[in-house]
């Protein structure tokens, strides 16, 4: 079981033995997010090919290629670049299909995940990048929702199919959000555990230091007490020699 976990870790994030647990889990979440988004993309690619609903399948192919590249870059250890490629591409594809949304806005739901992911996969040292990608998702939603600009030509789709897609997207977005929040909780727990461990180590070192200082004080007191009598004798002899 441990060996299988190690193999899975190597497949998803490569070698991260020298990285912190928090960095490892963020890199792991990035790989999982890329794979889940590619799986979702592949699902809708197959459905649209079967139903012949979507004339812009090249966006799906584009994301599958770019997602694969981002996954390999993340495994190679260039996590920040992989996260940036992943978030830019997923926001672009979501915007492309959201910009031509019909009456039932099925794709808009993915902007929730697009806004949530940067807050989780970027740590505190990259909070400005997280803010940029959240702003990118919000901007994409506003343009898609309130303007007529579109990257994908409109096409009639059966209302029953649209309702089914909306329900599917709702389940997918809910599941992805739960996974993201779960990883965030795990990351926070690991950070808190690390801080508690370090605090315990500091307390133990302080106790050791206090004990060492007490022993040093006792040694100095004992040494000074033991040396006082001989020094007094020497001082007495010196005084006698001066009077003789």
């Amino acid at each position: 079981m441990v060996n299988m976990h190690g193999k899975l870790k190597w497949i998803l994030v490569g070698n991260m033995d020298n990285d912190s647990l928090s960095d490892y889990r963020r890199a792991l979440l990035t790989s999982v997010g890329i794979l889940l988004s590619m799986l979702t993309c592949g699902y809708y690619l197959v459905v649209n090919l079967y139903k012949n609903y979507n004339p812009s399948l090249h966006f799906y192919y584009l994301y599958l290629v770019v997602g694969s590249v981002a996954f390999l870059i993340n495994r190679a250890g260039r996590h920040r670049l992989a996260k940036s490629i992943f978030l830019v591409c997923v926001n672009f594809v979501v915007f492309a299909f959201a910009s031509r949304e019909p009456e039932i806005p099925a794709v808009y739901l993915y902007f929730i995940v697009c806004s949530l992911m940067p807050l989780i996969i970027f740590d505190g040292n990259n909070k400005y990048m997280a803010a940029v990608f959240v702003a990118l998702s919000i901007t994409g939603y506003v343009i898609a929702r309130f303007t007529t600009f579109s990257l994908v030509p409109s096409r009639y789709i059966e209302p029953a199919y649209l309702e089914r897609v909306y329900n599917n997207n709702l389940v997918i977005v809910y599941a992805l959000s739960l996974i993201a929040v779960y990883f965030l909780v795990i990351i926070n727990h690991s950070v808190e555990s690390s801080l508690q461990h370090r605090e315990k180590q500091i307390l133990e070192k302080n106790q050791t230091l206090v004990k060492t200082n007490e022993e040093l004080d006792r040694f100095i007191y004992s040494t000074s007490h033991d040396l006082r009598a001989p020094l007094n004798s020497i001082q007495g002899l010196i005084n006698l020699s001066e009077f003789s």
Side-chain angles (χ1 to χ4, degrees), residues 91-137:
N91 273 282
F92 176 76
V93 173
V94 169
F95 171 77
F97 292 111
S99 62
R100 65 89 194 252
E101 278 290 83
E103 294 181 357
I104 301 178
V107 184
Y108 289 150
L109 294 170
Y110 285 103
F111 281 116
I112 298 174
V113 180
C114 289
S115 299
L116 185 63
M117 284 299 294
L119 300 175
I120 300 175
I121 63 177
F122 286 110
D123 57 21
N125 296 326
N126 298 293
K127 57 184 178 182
Y128 294 111
M129 292 188 68
V132 167
F133 283 110
V134 171
L136 177 65
S137 299

Side-chain angles (χ1 to χ4, degrees), residues 9-81:
K9 170 186 171 182
W10 182 84
I11 291 172
L12 292 175
V13 296
N15 185 12
M16 290 190 65
D17 294 334
N18 296 326
D19 294 85
S20 67
L21 185 58
S22 177
D23 290 338
Y24 158 68
R25 283 178 172 157
R26 282 189 166 87
L28 179 62
L29 179 58
T30 302
S31 290
V32 171
I34 293 172
L35 292 178
L36 289 177
S37 60
M38 290 176 63
L39 182 63
T40 303
C41 184
Y43 165 74
Y44 279 111
L45 174 62
V46 172
V47 170
N48 281 275
L49 284 173
Y50 177 74
K51 294 287 187 178
N52 194 27
Y53 275 142
N54 202 326
S56 302
L57 297 178
H58 54 277
F59 285 107
Y60 291 125
Y61 295 124
L62 172 66
Y63 184 75
L64 290 175
V65 172
V66 176
S68 300
V69 172
F71 179 82
L72 294 176
I73 292 175
N74 192 54
R75 283 195 75 256
R78 303 187 66 181
H79 306 301
R80 184 184 299 181
L81 177 61

